[in-house]
Amino acid sequence: MSHTPSRRQVLGGFGAAVVTSALAPAAKAAEPGLGRATDLTDGWRFVLANPDGVTAPDGPFADPAFDDSGWQLVDVPHDWSIELPPVESGTYSSSGFFRGGLGWYRKAFTLPPSLAGKRVSVEFDGVYSDAHVHLNGELLGNHPYAYTGFAFDLTGRLHTDGRTPNVLAVRAVNPLPSSRWYSGSGIYRKVRLVVTEPVHVARHGTFVTTPDIAAGRGTVRVATDVVNDSGGALAAEVRTAVTDPAGRVVAKGSATVPLPAGRTVTAVTTQTVAGPKLWSVEEPRLYRVRTDVVVAGRVLDTTTTAFGFRHAEFHPDHGFSLNGVPMKLRGVNLHASQGALGAVIDAAALERQLRLMLAMGVNALRTAHNPPAPELVAACDRLGILMMVEAFDCWRTGKVEFDYHRDFDAWSARDIAEMVHAAKNSPSVVLWSIGNEVPDASMAGGPAIAADLIETVRGIDPTRPVIMGSDRYRSVPAPGSPQDLILRQLDGLGVNYNTAQSIDGLHAAYPDKFFFESESSSETSTRGAYQDPDLLNTGENHTPGKRATSSYDNNLASWTFSGEYSLKKDRDRKFCQGQFLWAGQDYLGEPTPYDVFPVKTSFFGAVDSAGLPKDAFHLFRSQWTTAPMVHLTPMDWTTHRPGEPVAVWVYSTVDTVELVLNGRSLGVKKFDRKTTVDGRSYLETTEPVGDDKNDPSGSYTSPNGGVGKLHLTWTVPFEPGTLTAIARSGGREVARDRLVTAGPPRAVTLTAEPRGDGAMAFVRASVVDSRGVVVPGAEPVLRFAVRGPGRVAGVDNGRQELAQSYQQPTIPAFHGQAVAVIAATGGRGAITVTASAPGLAPGTTTLPGTNFGQRNGPGARAVEQPEVPVVLAADASYSGAPDTVPAAMLDGDPATGWSNHYVKQATAALKAVSRPRPEDWVSLVWPRPQRFGTLTANFVVDATLVLPETAEVAYRTARGFEPVRGLKIAWGTGPNDPTTFSFEPVTTTEVRITLKTRGFLRISALVAR
């Protein structure tokens, strides 16, 4: 098998450095022969030529003589968007209100004379987006797609005299809107220079498969594409050596192939490994193949490829199995951003994110919705996380104005091939996905597009199933429809947000296809926020500064399901291969259910954007892990009124739990032990939930007839102290969780998380009382400072509604906590991190230095931009809709006003809900104290809206809110008549009316006199 290489045929592989940066005209040349490749990390110059658009005069930016000394000095990977402050004007919620624009990068480097006659290329793992690459003023080419790697041949275009700088110049654009989520901008993945002999292994030129894994032996087939860029024909011997996880050579092979000049030929070796150790999610054992290309006794090229022995099967009836062991895919979807780091790829940050997922019980990852960075694939290989690797979020028909649809016809075949080649040797990759929720799946041209993509994937790798994730199969497709024709071509299908009934229907209609949930649940939540635990779906609070969603697994958009419903649906169906939760972590952009500045992140994650677990994390942990655990919801036993009834939920892997308050038992409750129809045991209560309007019972009902919840419930009148959940098995305590009422904040404590191989470390700050208890209501501004070889790369508190930039040293605590990302800058000295806040004792921790440091990476250009305090003229505890926020009371227009009325639309499994809240408050706020003794409120009354049953007035003092004296209320009698509250005059900056009612309220005007 052979083909003729293009003019820009390029190379691949990893190795030691062979070049040096040249930031000044006179740069030192690299020593020759130090290795095959080097990362081009530091010494780049960057300018954001146009932050608000994608057009700008390029001027002489590609000219090697251009003076770029005034540009920023940056390390790559680099994301210019995350370095900018979020702004409302000219941006979109999908981008997290961060700007895109047009940027240029330049890097100068010299090469020694010894590289004359070598093949040299430059490889990019990803540039967002539409990269145009120049060398020494010459355009090498462009690459539109942001998520696939690409390379250009530099041979014959380089200066190799050791003195004359070579200049790479890269132009990147991010037109908004270009994505449905935050994408970042710029050279956000790694870049490397590759140097080889004319005879070498092609880029992505090694494909290792294990076609036969039998008892006691394993076959290793290595297909190596060898390029002959020399001037004449020759013969090459390809030698392969397999090493086991301990580094011992366990098998060898060789093949000799003729190499015509200017051609690429594939050499195949087959070797047998005795007693292979299998790669699994519990023990991810990695083998390696060393490949040597030998000509006339001389080794001209060497590469190393990691792989694993494993056998994955997706059976239409029996589900997924790995190495013959049945298991469910316990997966999460993750977008490519890393919170405060934006889109910058850092190995330590990726590992931290994946270890959070592993702690939840995750064994699988979907790369939503694009090909991953090589570092992510390598981390999954090393940690034992199965991967569904996905190509595109759209095909020919786009979803936003500037997404991939513009380039699909010209580039999709090359991009999906690059995706497969880049990860084809990974043992963690078990599924190739050709797209996510693509509109073309229900259009006439869709089947032909799918056929081409499938053919390309199978032509490279016939060993893995080809699937897609889709929202277009919520009922059985009509025969001959585009959905039907596409599904018949696929090996299986990932469905997004199907009911139990619809996935059963698909399984019956397509018995030869396998099914799983490529997106499940999409329940939204805010860490530490709780609302209406007795409702299966709640409304949202649209009051500025209070935009959050409930963590009782009960805030759902129209297409979504609770976490419990999704877990039960998957659990009960052996044929269902598993699920991928949307999402593993909150990500920048797509801030459902709010679409307003400054709500910057999604609410879908089991952990927040800072990496702090929400209650959903523990729900899935209770179903996806087996070690004894118990978790109390709410995670707050402080911010309640004495005697207030608090709904306490307990998630546990243990069947018996006792709840204890201040040493007093509140009773023991138990899960029932149940068994699926195919014999798998599980824990669940037995009580109607009312969570499936499609089932005759009104509740989700298992095939075994069971109904119930995945949590235990108590209603506890609040009293300060200690609330403890004790899990027992066989009468013996095996786990406990404890909540303690916090006192006033006294100090900041710091906890450093273990750091992986990378520049970034994560430090959690907690605001605590005198006993070390986190204070849930404490939100002081925390200031992080660093001494030693490090800096603050970013800060985050997990709050979705936050106007400030992430890359600065200060941030308010949110529910008592925040996280700082600390970048090492190189060197082995200790890095000391301090966090302080006014009136609190500071916290300090120490991190070891590392040589993985970046001097000009994230945070290096941070400019402190504290959040500007928003001075509200009016406030409210709850606003039911975006157009009924408190400020609507102030304009005097009877057509506008504040209201707590909401209608939560129906979902696929739940009916619509609109239930009045029993109590809410509204207030007027002034920047300076005001004196008055009367409030006038115009209450709107109609078929939906009522007068409050009772009202109380309080005003702000140094001690908090205190009731006014001598309150008298003259209620209005008409549908919009004024109600007057008179009392002894007060002087204050805020006055509050607390309203109790059995119906919805609306105030069209509120005035103090």
Side-chain angles (χ1 to χ4, degrees):
M1 167 175 144
S2 66
H3 68 272
T4 302
S6 69
R7 175 67 185 84
R8 287 166 180 160
Q9 178 78 46
V10 292
L11 321 173
F14 299 85
V18 294
V19 298
T20 58
S21 298
L23 303 183
K28 292 183 179 180
E31 293 298 323
L34 295 181
R36 196 178 196 270
T38 183
D39 287 338
L40 299 181
T41 298
D42 58 0
W44 290 83
R45 294 287 183 175
F46 168 74
V47 66
L48 182 53
N50 186 350
D52 299 309
V54 296
T55 59
D58 292 342
F61 293 168
D63 187 338
F66 176 77
D67 181 7
D68 57 19
S69 60
W71 291 12
Q72 292 179 356
L73 183 62
V74 302
D75 293 342
V76 298
H78 173 251
D79 173 7
W80 81 65
S81 290
I82 201 68
E83 295 182 344
L84 303 174
V87 292
E88 186 172 10
S89 176
T91 61
Y92 297 82
S93 62
S94 59
S95 71
F97 299 103
F98 288 94
R99 289 181 290 178
L102 183 153
W104 274 89
Y105 296 84
R106 288 168 54 92
K107 180 174 175 61
F109 57 93
T110 60
L111 294 175
S114 59
L115 293 189
K118 307 285 188 181
R119 304 299 298 185
V120 184
S121 63
V122 62
E123 294 185 347
F124 294 82
D125 288 339
V127 177
Y128 203 103
S129 62
D130 193 21
H132 285 67
V133 182
H134 306 254
L135 176 70
N136 297 331
E138 177 188 356
L139 177 64
L140 299 174
N142 76 300
H143 186 83
Y145 196 32
Y147 297 107
T148 48
F150 59 97
F152 293 110
D153 186 2
L154 308 183
T155 308
R157 298 176 171 87
L158 291 160
H159 305 296
T160 57
D161 58 9
R163 298 184 306 275
T164 308
N166 296 282
V167 178
L168 275 173
V170 181
R171 179 184 190 268
V173 297
N174 180 8
L176 299 182
S178 65
S179 174
R180 296 186 300 118
W181 57 91
Y182 176 87
S183 62
S185 304
I187 306 176
Y188 73 104
R189 292 181 181 176
K190 283 191 173 183
V191 187
R192 67 190 63 84
L193 203 69
V194 178
V195 180
T196 70
E197 297 291 342
V199 176
H200 56 270
V201 177
R203 180 170 179 266
H204 300 320
T206 303
F207 189 18
V208 184
T209 54
T210 55
D212 181 28
I213 306 174
R217 63 179 178 82
T219 301
V220 181
R221 181 183 186 273
V222 184
T224 306
D225 294 339
V226 183
V227 179
N228 180 10
D229 278 337
S230 71
L234 46 83
E237 181 187 8
V238 177
R239 300 172 183 169
T240 53
V242 178
T243 56
D244 67 9
R248 298 181 294 256
V249 175
V250 292
K252 293 183 178 181
S254 70
T256 300
V257 293
L259 291 176
R263 307 279 287 184
T264 298
V265 176
T266 301
V268 177
T269 65
T270 302
Q271 41 263 302
T272 299
V273 173
K277 296 178 174 62
L278 301 185
W279 185 97
S280 68
V281 295
E282 297 84 9
E283 296 184 87
R285 302 181 177 103
L286 289 173
Y287 285 70
R288 284 173 171 77
V289 170
R290 174 187 168 115
T291 300
D292 292 326
V293 177
V294 183
V295 175
R298 180 185 170 207
V299 177
L300 298 184
D301 198 12
T302 298
T303 63
T304 301
T305 305
F307 75 100
F309 290 95
R310 62 109 177 99
H311 173 65
E313 182 183 12
F314 294 84
H315 193 281
D317 292 322
H318 304 308
F320 174 70
S321 63
L322 183 65
N323 302 326
V325 179
M327 66 178 64
K328 289 278 190 179
L329 295 175
R330 304 187 303 270
V332 290
N333 289 271
L334 289 174
H335 275 315
S337 59
Q338 288 285 315
L341 298 177
V344 167
I345 291 297
D346 177 78
L350 287 173
E351 181 167 332
R352 185 240 188 183
Q353 183 184 52
L354 293 178
R355 289 196 180 279
L356 281 169
M357 299 300 103
L358 288 170
M360 191 170 67
V362 165
N363 66 11
L365 166 65
R366 179 190 184 202
T367 65
H369 300 292
N370 46 257
E375 291 85 353
L376 179 59
V377 178
C380 288
D381 286 346
R382 188 177 66 256
L383 297 176
I385 299 175
L386 300 164
M387 297 189 76
M388 169 182 168
V389 173
E390 192 151 74
F392 311 117
D393 190 46
C394 67
W395 294 346
R396 186 171 294 146
T397 302
K399 298 177 181 178
V400 296
E401 183 177 0
F402 297 110
D403 64 14
Y404 186 69
H405 76 277
R406 302 178 301 156
D407 302 301
F408 181 83
D409 284 340
W411 284 90
S412 59
R414 283 174 282 183
D415 284 328
I416 201 167
E418 172 72 16
M419 175 190 82
V420 176
H421 278 303
K424 63 190 176 186
N425 294 306
S426 166
S428 63
V429 177
V430 293
L431 292 169
W432 300 120
S433 170
I434 62 173
N436 168 69
E437 295 186 353
V438 293
D440 297 279
S442 54
M443 297 179 178
I449 297 174
D452 289 342
L453 296 174
I454 293 168
E455 181 182 12
T456 300
V457 173
R458 289 177 177 160
I460 300 168
D461 176 21
T463 70
R464 295 174 175 90
V466 182
I467 54 89
M468 72 177 186
S470 185
D471 59 346
R472 313 234 162 192
Y473 292 84
R474 292 177 185 165
S475 60
V476 175
S481 65
Q483 293 98 315
D484 173 65
L485 296 177
I486 290 174
L487 180 50
R488 294 190 184 281
Q489 298 178 67
L490 296 168
D491 296 304
L493 180 69
V495 295
N496 293 357
Y497 314 114
N498 282 47
T499 64
Q501 296 80 7
S502 65
I503 198 170
D504 286 342
L506 288 169
H507 175 57
Y510 297 90
D512 60 332
K513 306 296 180 182
F514 65 84
F515 293 91
F516 63 98
E517 287 193 278
S518 41
E519 292 181 26
S520 70
S521 183
S522 271
E523 174 265 343
T524 61
S525 61
T526 297
R527 176 175 57 84
Y530 303 94
Q531 180 182 329
D532 300 330
D534 56 326
L535 287 181
L536 297 173
N537 199 7
T538 70
E540 289 85 37
N541 190 351
H542 293 270
T543 303
K546 299 180 177 65
R547 298 179 179 110
T549 60
S550 174
S551 285
Y552 277 118
D553 192 26
N554 65 341
N555 185 265
L556 308 172
S558 61
W559 67 89
T560 64
F561 299 88
S562 70
E564 291 205 9
Y565 182 96
S566 297
L567 285 161
K568 292 185 291 187
K569 176 180 60 177
D570 174 42
R571 175 199 68 199
D572 291 334
R573 286 157 177 80
K574 184 179 182 181
F575 73 82
C576 188
Q577 317 291 309
Q579 64 178 302
F580 291 85
L581 170 66
W582 192 274
Q585 184 170 10
D586 286 349
Y587 51 90
L588 295 172
E590 208 170 30
T592 305
Y594 304 100
D595 190 13
V596 61
F597 185 84
V599 186
K600 302 200 300 287
T601 76
S602 77
F603 291 70
F604 299 118
V607 302
D608 66 24
S609 58
L612 300 173
K614 308 181 197 177
D615 294 274
F617 175 95
H618 300 283
L619 163 62
F620 280 84
R621 179 180 166 219
S622 74
Q623 303 303 303
W624 284 356
T625 66
T626 57
M629 60 79 59
V630 62
H631 171 76
L632 283 163
T633 297
M635 296 188 289
D636 173 1
W637 200 246
T638 299
T639 57
H640 308 280
R641 297 189 303 271
E644 174 188 347
V646 180
V648 176
W649 292 13
V650 170
Y651 299 119
S652 183
T653 56
V654 183
D655 63 354
T656 303
V657 178
E658 181 181 16
L659 196 65
V660 178
L661 177 60
N662 294 329
R664 182 177 74 256
S665 176
L666 302 182
V668 174
K669 295 195 176 185
K670 293 186 176 183
F671 290 104
D672 297 305
R673 291 193 172 273
K674 301 181 181 180
T675 306
T676 64
V677 293
D678 59 297
R680 292 172 288 118
S681 63
Y682 63 94
L683 299 177
E684 186 180 78
T685 67
T686 300
E687 55 187 309
V689 182
D691 57 352
D692 193 348
K693 65 186 181 184
N694 307 298
D695 193 278
S697 71
S699 297
Y700 170 83
T701 304
S702 300
N704 63 10
V707 297
K709 299 177 180 178
L710 302 182
H711 64 274
L712 301 172
T713 59
W714 283 260
T715 299
V716 182
F718 175 72
E719 64 180 57
T722 302
L723 182 70
T724 307
I726 303 170
R728 294 187 176 91
S729 178
R732 181 175 62 89
E733 179 182 331
V734 293
R736 70 166 53 201
D737 190 22
R738 187 181 69 158
L739 299 173
V740 178
T741 304
R746 289 286 185 268
V748 180
T749 62
L750 295 183
T751 304
E753 300 179 15
R755 177 173 53 202
D757 290 340
M760 305 302 166
F762 293 79
V763 175
R764 183 174 72 252
S766 300
V767 180
V768 299
D769 67 6
S770 59
R771 299 164 296 163
V773 177
V774 175
V775 184
E779 299 191 353
V781 174
L782 301 172
R783 177 177 294 276
F784 294 90
V786 176
R787 296 197 316 273
R791 68 171 178 277
V792 177
V795 289
D796 195 358
N797 59 14
R799 184 180 180 183
Q800 292 107 344
E801 183 183 15
L802 186 66
Q804 76 166 61
S805 168
Y806 289 108
Q807 295 203 346
Q808 62 175 49
T810 62
I811 194 168
F814 182 57
H815 292 300
Q817 294 187 304
V819 170
V821 189
I822 307 301
T825 54
R828 292 295 183 180
I831 302 170
T832 301
V833 183
T834 301
S836 59
L840 303 179
T844 300
T845 190
T846 300
L847 304 168
T850 172
N851 289 332
F852 287 102
Q854 287 191 345
R855 295 191 178 277
N856 298 289
R861 289 157 299 283
V863 176
E864 185 173 341
Q865 296 173 320
E867 186 176 15
V868 177
V870 177
V871 179
L872 299 173
D875 197 7
S877 59
Y878 186 88
S879 302
D883 59 348
T884 61
V885 296
M889 298 183 295
L890 303 179
D891 59 8
D893 185 350
T896 62
W898 165 85
S899 180
N900 59 6
H901 177 265
Y902 72 91
V903 177
K904 187 68 173 176
Q905 60 186 318
T907 72
L910 299 174
K911 296 178 181 178
V913 63
S914 180
R915 192 186 73 176
R917 294 163 54 88
E919 180 179 300
D920 274 306
W921 57 260
V922 295
S923 70
L924 293 175
V925 187
W926 300 273
R928 292 179 297 277
Q930 305 289 311
R931 184 168 179 79
F932 54 91
T934 301
L935 289 173
T936 302
N938 289 53
F939 288 94
V940 178
V941 178
D942 57 23
T944 303
L945 305 166
V946 301
L947 284 172
E949 296 180 354
T950 64
E952 299 172 354
V953 178
Y955 66 106
R956 183 180 292 278
T957 72
R959 295 176 296 277
F961 280 97
E962 297 186 11
V964 297
R965 297 179 179 178
L967 176 63
K968 296 180 181 179
I969 304 175
W971 295 99
T973 57
N976 194 31
D977 284 352
T979 292
T980 301
F981 303 85
S982 57
F983 41 85
E984 295 181 12
V986 297
T987 301
T988 186
T989 57
E990 184 175 4
V991 63
R992 174 182 293 184
I993 308 174
T994 300
L995 310 163
K996 296 184 179 181
T997 181
R998 297 182 184 180
F1000 289 111
L1001 303 172
R1002 181 182 175 95
I1003 300 176
S1004 62
L1006 181 61
V1007 179
R1009 294 185 177 88

